[in-house]
């Protein structure tokens, strides 16, 4: 039986989140340093973001740098931060034509004033855009949950609901992810969107992130549409 669902019968995917894994191995396969892989990782991210824009995906979330990634060698951390700064510059340059509302997930306290100001300015300038790009930077799911608890305590809240808790998370402005894609072959969540992933469909592929392109995303989406989402019901 052909399981493919006609495009017109499909509810659009609201939110796709990506664990962009495999940059280091991709570089190693080419006899290059890990930073080389991250550089091509950014190119893959840009292609995927454009594809998501064209598909009308409401929210795209990318795991760019985790709270644990600070443990990597300084040279690699510096290279990723430099790539991030270059991306900020690119967004600033084409701000009028930039399609996405940018939100950074994670504590900005880890960054110097200059980078933090640029991040906050981009968030403000893109606030009215219809599609959302969440960039998880210095992000960890556990850190986010602890941060939300402390926020609520500081507000004097004595009882929380699922809704009030969700609104204290970094993702307060986004719906929960429908589909989480992890490239690079590992079968784990790695502290990503722990609360929000409750009913997400998970898709794992061996493809290394720099090789993950529109055709690979289309295959993941095709797979998503074959899933039966029951949310605990029957
Ligand atoms: C995981 O691959 C990748 C990262 C920890 C960094 C990902 C960052 C980028 C692609 C740059 C983000 C920048 C923007 C502008 C969004 P890995 O290094 O763990 O690869 P490995 O598992 O093969 O070692």
């Amino acid at each position: 039986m052909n399981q493919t669902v006609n495009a017109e019968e499909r509810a659009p995917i609201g939110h796709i989140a990506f664990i962009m894994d495999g940059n280091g191995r991709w570089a190693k396969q080419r006899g290059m340093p890990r930073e080389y892989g991250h550089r091509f990782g950014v190119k893959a991210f840009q292609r995927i973001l454009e594809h998501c824009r064209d598909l009308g995906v409401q929210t795209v979330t990318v795991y760019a740098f985790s709270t644990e990634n600070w443990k990597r060698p300084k040279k690699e951390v510096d290279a990723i931060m430099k790539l991030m700064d270059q991306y900020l510059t690119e967004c600033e340059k084409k701000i009028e034509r930039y399609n996405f509302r940018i939100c950074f997930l994670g504590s900005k306290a880890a960054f110097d004033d200059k980078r933090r100001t640029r991040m906050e300015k981009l968030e403000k300038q893109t606030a009215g855009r219809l599609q959302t790009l969440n960039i998880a930077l210095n992000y960890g799911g556990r850190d986010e949950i602890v941060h939300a608890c402390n926020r609520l305590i500081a507000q004097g809240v004595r009882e929380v609901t699922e809704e009030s808790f969700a609104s204290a998370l970094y993702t307060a402005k986004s719906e929960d992810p429908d589909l989480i894609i992890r490239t690079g072959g590992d079968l784990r969540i790695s502290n990503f969107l722990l609360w929000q992933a409750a009913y997400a469909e998970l898709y794992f592929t061996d493809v290394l992130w720099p090789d993950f392109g529109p055709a690979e995303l289309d295959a993941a989406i095709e797979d998503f549409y074959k899933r039966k989402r029951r949310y605990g019901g029957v």
Side-chain angles (χ1 to χ4, degrees):
M1 195 179 86
N2 183 0
Q3 298 243 353
T4 307
V5 181
N6 290 332
E8 54 274 19
E9 291 170 24
R10 292 171 166 175
I13 298 191
H15 183 171
I16 307 181
F18 296 90
I19 301 177
M20 309 182 286
D21 197 16
N23 295 343
R25 279 165 284 163
W26 188 90
K28 194 173 175 203
Q29 284 171 1
R30 287 158 180 78
M32 298 297 280
R34 297 177 56 80
E35 297 73 35
Y36 182 80
H38 294 313
R39 190 142 57 81
F40 280 82
V42 175
K43 290 184 199 291
F45 154 72
Q46 287 168 316
R47 278 197 308 271
I48 287 296
L49 190 64
E50 276 179 26
H51 195 51
C52 287
R53 178 200 63 201
D54 296 344
L55 293 172
V57 178
Q58 188 66 46
T59 304
V60 177
T61 300
V62 290
Y63 204 3
F65 194 85
S66 76
T67 43
E68 288 72 38
N69 286 154
W70 295 107
K71 288 186 263 183
R72 294 188 177 208
K74 184 174 182 308
K75 181 168 167 262
E76 183 174 349
V77 171
D78 287 349
I80 295 175
M81 291 304 152
K82 191 169 168 200
L83 288 169
M84 184 52 61
D85 287 341
Q86 285 168 355
Y87 188 66
L88 298 182
T89 304
E90 197 185 310
C91 294
E92 287 160 359
K93 276 193 190 147
K94 59 175 189 191
I95 190 73
E96 299 303 330
R97 290 173 288 120
Y98 196 80
N99 295 78
F100 287 85
R101 171 178 72 170
I102 298 179
C103 296
F104 290 95
L105 312 182
S107 170
K108 295 186 187 77
F111 304 116
D112 62 24
D113 284 352
K114 190 174 170 211
R115 189 180 288 126
R116 198 167 52 234
T117 306
R118 293 178 80 191
M119 290 161 74
E120 285 167 354
K121 194 169 169 201
L122 273 175
E123 287 182 322
K124 281 202 190 85
Q125 285 177 318
T126 58
R129 313 287 152 93
L130 294 178
Q131 289 166 287
T132 296
L133 167 65
N134 291 319
I135 302 179
L137 194 67
N138 186 34
Y139 174 87
R142 288 183 173 181
D143 176 71
E144 178 181 40
I145 288 169
V146 169
H147 178 263
C149 291
N150 285 324
R151 252 181 95 177
L152 292 164
I153 291 167
Q155 289 166 9
V157 172
R158 295 185 58 86
E159 195 178 327
V160 291
T161 60
E162 289 192 13
E163 288 72 26
S164 67
F165 190 75
S167 69
L169 296 169
Y170 294 123
T171 51
K173 294 185 185 129
S174 296
E175 298 293 325
D176 286 346
D178 297 293
L179 174 62
I180 298 179
I181 296 174
R182 180 178 189 139
T183 59
D186 283 330
L187 307 179
R188 55 177 172 260
I189 284 292
S190 297
N191 206 12
F192 188 47
L193 302 178
L194 296 182
W195 171 276
Q196 302 86 337
Y199 287 104
E201 295 296 326
L202 307 179
Y203 181 88
F204 298 98
T205 171
D206 288 338
V207 174
L208 303 176
W209 177 253
D211 289 330
F212 191 84
E216 285 72 25
L217 178 55
D218 288 344
I221 291 175
E222 204 57 52
D223 190 81
F224 172 83
Y225 281 117
K226 289 179 192 158
R227 313 268 182 106
K228 294 246 183 303
R229 303 186 78 194
R230 290 190 293 277
Y231 299 95
V234 287

